[in-house]
Amino acid sequence: MRSKAFERWAYYGVPKFVAETLSHSTAKRDRTEKKDIYEKAGVEEYWIVSPQGFVEINYLEDGRYVLEQNYMLQTDKEDDDYNADQEIYLKVFPHIMMTLSDIFEGVF
């Protein structure tokens, strides 16, 4: 039996988490229009992921997004800023964990 949020396999409702992967053609819209739409809709956690190795994690607080975490992938183990093994947990789904290298697997 399908959830009432699903009708004909389309989802109707507000997700708790959204991740946008930026591209040259969508980056501006993802950071402005879509971010505003998700914020107004009440999406609790919004990630912006750049193929260049950046992750921005925003949490909804008092109806506005607040940038809580910002990462830039560093894969060189000899570098003092190496962080490919950094564990990141979704705030809205704390049992889900990934590393920065998981997020960018196959990209670098």
Side-chain angles (χ1 to χ4, degrees):
M1 185 165 125
R2 294 184 293 187
S3 165
K4 291 182 181 182
F6 287 92
E7 183 177 307
R8 303 185 90 202
W9 298 108
Y11 179 79
Y12 296 94
V14 177
K16 291 180 177 270
F17 166 72
V18 170
E20 288 285 354
T21 302
L22 300 181
S23 71
H24 292 294
S25 62
T26 66
K28 182 177 179 183
R29 184 169 185 255
D30 291 340
R31 291 182 176 278
T32 57
E33 294 173 39
K34 290 174 86 175
K35 184 177 180 183
D36 290 346
I37 290 168
Y38 298 143
E39 185 178 76
K40 287 176 187 170
V43 175
E44 297 175 42
E45 188 166 348
Y46 178 57
W47 290 24
I48 299 173
V49 180
S50 166
Q52 287 76 35
F54 295 94
V55 178
E56 298 173 6
I57 301 175
N58 297 275
Y59 299 124
L60 195 64
E61 294 182 13
D62 298 320
R64 304 288 301 171
Y65 279 131
V66 175
L67 178 64
E68 290 288 331
Q69 298 175 36
N70 192 12
Y71 299 98
M72 183 178 86
L73 178 65
Q74 299 292 333
T75 58
D76 182 356
K77 289 187 178 187
E78 301 299 318
D79 191 317
D80 289 339
D81 295 321
Y82 171 80
N83 63 0
D85 295 330
Q86 172 71 47
E87 294 180 346
I88 303 173
Y89 292 83
L90 274 76
K91 184 176 183 179
V92 294
F93 299 108
H95 58 282
I96 298 176
M97 185 279 298
M98 64 200 81
T99 65
L100 283 174
S101 60
D102 290 335
I103 294 169
F104 295 102
E105 184 177 339
V107 176
F108 293 97

